Amino acid sequence: MTTAGFIVTHAADASFERGLRSFFEYRDLGIKRATDGRVVAHVIRAASGSDFSSQPHLHKTAFQFVYILKGWIEFEYEGHGRVRLEAGSTVYQPPGIRHRELGHSPDIEMLEIVMPGEFATEEVPAVNG
């Protein structure tokens, strides 16, 4: 249900689609539409049957926050090295931080909130921890 910026979504209506990374599926939570594109929020989960592959990259964002709902995921961040996140962990990724995913559990689910709702992603040279 949505009217003038107000939105409610329910798990029963959830649909996941392939997105930025082919080995993940994304559930749009409707925040992008409700905020006229200022913010995007989605649940990300592992896509079954997809091979994992992650290149070092950065996102041109103003804000990026991830909360792990289920499972685990490991990243390598420029200047911070390897970081393992498990259910209940959070990470704020500063704008432009180079990073890459190292691996994740088959049951990974995470909430991601990003500003702006549309942002560029650039592949970059290897991350140096």
Side-chain angles (χ1 to χ4, degrees), residues 85-96:
L85 304 169
E86 299 176 347
S89 298
T90 65
V91 64
Y92 165 69
Q93 294 182 173

Side-chain angles (χ1 to χ4, degrees), residues 64-104:
Q64 186 175 15
F65 171 82
V66 177
Y67 177 79
I68 308 305
L69 300 164
K70 185 175 170 184
W72 60 266
I73 189 166
E74 287 188 356
F75 291 100
E76 180 181 34
Y77 289 101
E78 179 179 30
H80 301 281
R82 181 182 293 250
V83 176
R84 182 181 176 102
L85 304 169
E86 299 176 347
S89 298
T90 65
V91 64
Y92 165 69
Q93 294 182 173
I97 190 169
R98 291 189 313 168
H99 63 284
R100 70 182 177 118
E101 185 189 339
L102 300 174
H104 60 264

